[in-house]
Structures are given as C-alpha cells and as structure tokens.
C-alpha cells in the first residue's frame, strides 16, 4: 500500500513539473514573442543616440535600460540571427517599445537626425567666416550658430581663455584659437561642441617656447596669436614668414603703425556681417596704433613659431610681387617706393 502511495505521489509531482514547465514555456514564449513583435500594453518613447564606434552591445544596453526592449541579450541574439552583418548608423532615432524588432532594425538605418562622421579640413589662415561656411556646407552645424558660439569666451574653460581681454571692439573673442586642422566631426553637431573641439586642439599645441617668448617680451598669448594671424595672411610663399614677422616687430618696437592691408580686408568682412565702425576701425592697422583688436584669422603652428623665432633684421617695409611668388624687404622707404613702382605690375591677382 505504501509503495502504491509513493508511486502516486511521484506521478503527481511529475505531472506538476510537466504542467509548470509547460506554463513556464508558455509564459516564456509569450514574453519573447511579445517583445520581438512589439506587443506592449504601455507605450514608452526613447530618443536613442548612436555615435560612430558604438557597438551592438552599447546599443542593446541603451535599448534595454530605456525600456525599448525587455531583454538586451534577446535583442542581440535576434540581431545576430537575422542581421549578422548589420552596421549601426550614427544619429538620433525616436523609438517606442511597441515597435517590433524588425521595425527597430529598419528604423536604425534611417536616423531622424543624422550624426554621420564627416571629415572637414580647416586650412591655416581661415577666419571665423571661412570656417562657418565650411561647416555649414558639410552639414556639421549652422554657420550662424557657429559664429554666435565664437562671439564669447564665457562657455569654454582653457588656460589661455583668461588671456583674452574684455573689450567691446573684439568682434569674435575666439578668433585665432580655432585651430586649423582636419577634423572628424559629426553631422548636426551643436556649434558649441564644434568650437570646443577646435579650442581643445589649440590647447594641445601650446608650447613652452610660446609661453617663454610671451614672458620674455611682456606680451600675452592673445597678442602673440594676434600678430601671428597677420603674418599668416601676409605669407603667400615659403620661407618668408620669419622676415615678415621681423618687419612687424620692428615697427611695433618703434611705435610705427603696422599698416597691413590684410587687416583692412578683415575689417571689411566684419562690416559686411553687421559690425559697426568702432569695431571695424579697431582692426585697421593703418588707423590703430599697434596690433589690431584681435586675431584676423586662425594661424597654424608654423606662423606662430615664425613670430617666436623671427629673424633679426632692420627691415621696416616689404611687398610681394610675381603674384606672391617673391618678396622684397627693405629698411628704407624711398627704396621701398622705387622698387614697388618697378615691380607692382608683376602682380595680376
């Protein structure tokens, strides 16, 4: 009798196990099926941001932690099975938890806002207007937003920022420090983030020799970059930057005006962009007593170094001829005038 009871109990337990397993399998299947097919009772929205370099693990974690999928491993396994060679696009994607896995996979190929990586070259000598145009043409950010982000130094934190003076005549406080280089930006970036990346690139290039030169000559890094920006725009050929820097330094040391035409060009650009005469005039080195109010472009390392390591000359005057292929330097104005009359017609630009 006892033996029959034990057998009956075992049968009952076995049946219960089978039933529970069946129930578990049913609910497990329902859970998996509902998640894969997007059968959710309560709707959740999430704006997923994917950047270049994000992996499937990164994406699955964000989908899971923000309630778009119920299990990150389930999503990863489903993707491995259905899309083994899937590549995620950089961008922003508005997702809901009632989307099926198939719908999510398709959506992630069509961003609401693209953040695809774009290589953008910013050459030495570009000013804020040139950079704004390049950024807008490449879909990085609005040119106007970029210009606005360059107006004030207040939103950025680098050691050299404190050396930028407070002045109503400085058009763009960050002009000169937007380091020229080739950048891998993303489409539709915030303009402030673009500026910050360029400032960080400049900060990485500041050398002890630049700092030493400023200290020894009682100038700020801002003044060094301002002078280098004028040298940058005047330097059309190779091997002349140090001589050009020498001319300007000799003139500054003798309280002569710089009288550089490229500063007038920058003032004209400022006027065309709505700046008043007080600002425009402050950049005109035929009118201001020494350096312009600020940099007129963003110089490269070579021309900042050219100022720091300028040649020791008595030159006060120079001009370019043969369309900028050659330069003439002299310390005598009559000599300058005579040779300019002789050679100016070689310039056709």
């Amino acid at each position: 009798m006892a033996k029959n009871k034990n057998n009956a109990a075992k049968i009952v337990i076995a049946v219960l196990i089978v039933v529970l397993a069946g129930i578990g399998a049913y609910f497990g299947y329902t859970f998996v099926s509902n998640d894969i097919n997007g059968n959710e009772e309560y709707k959740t929205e999430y704006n997923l941001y994917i950047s270049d370099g994000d992996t499937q693990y990164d994406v699955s974690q964000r989908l899971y932690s923000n309630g778009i999928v119920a299990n990150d491993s389930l999503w990863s396994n489903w993707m491995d099975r259905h899309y083994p060679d899937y590549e995620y696009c950089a961008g922003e994607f508005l997702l809901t938890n009632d989307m099926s896995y198939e719908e999510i996979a398709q959506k992630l190929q069509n961003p609401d806002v693209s953040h695809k990586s774009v290589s953008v070259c910013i050459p030495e000598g570009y000013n804020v207007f040139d950079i704004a145009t390049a950024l807008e043409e490449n879909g990085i950010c609005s040119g106007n937003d970029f210009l606005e982000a360059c107006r004030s130094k207040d939103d950025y934190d680098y050691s050299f920022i404190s050396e930028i003076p407070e002045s109503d005549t400085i058009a763009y406080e960050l002009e000169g420090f937007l380091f020229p280089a080739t950048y891998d930006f993303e489409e539709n970036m915030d303009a402030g983030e673009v500026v910050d990346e360029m400032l960080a690139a400049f900060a990485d290039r500041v050398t002890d020799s630049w700092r030493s030169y400023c200290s020894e000559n009682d100038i700020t890094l801002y003044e060094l970059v301002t002078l280098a920006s004028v040298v940058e725009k005047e330097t059309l050929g190779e091997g002349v930057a140090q001589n050009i820097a020498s001319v300007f330094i000799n003139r500054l040391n003798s309280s002569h005006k710089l009288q550089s035409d490229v500063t007038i060009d920058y003032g004209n650009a400022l006027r065309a962009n709505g700046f008043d005469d007080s600002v425009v005039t402050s950049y005109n080195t035929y009118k201001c007593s020494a350096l312009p109010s600020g940099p007129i472009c963003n110089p490269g390392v070579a021309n900042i170094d050219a100022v720091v390591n300028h040649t020791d000359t008595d030159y006060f005057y120079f001009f370019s001829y043969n369309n900028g292929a050659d330069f003439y330097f002299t310390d005598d104005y009559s000599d300058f005038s005579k040779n300019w009359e002789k050679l100016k017609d070689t310039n056709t630009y």
Side-chain angles (χ1 to χ4, degrees), residues 219-263:
I219 64 171
T220 64
L221 184 64
Y222 187 76
E223 291 169 322
L224 171 61
V225 172
T226 298
L227 179 54
S229 74
V230 180
V231 172
E232 179 78 58
K233 296 302 283 186
E234 290 279 12
T235 304
L236 302 177
E238 295 292 328
V240 296
Q242 290 178 315
N243 278 348
I244 291 175
S246 175
V247 171
F248 290 141
I249 289 169
N250 288 340
R251 295 180 74 85
L252 289 170
N253 289 339
S254 301
S255 299
H256 283 66
K257 290 182 172 63
L258 291 188
Q259 296 184 319
S260 170
D261 291 347
V262 295
T263 62

Side-chain angles (χ1 to χ4, degrees), residues 24 27 38 40 44 48 55 75 83 86 121 137 165 200 211 243-244:
F27 281 107
E40 300 294 342
T44 297
L48 172 66
T55 65
W75 163 262
Y83 294 100
Y86 193 88
C121 177
E137 287 178 347
R211 289 293 187 189
N243 278 348
I244 291 175

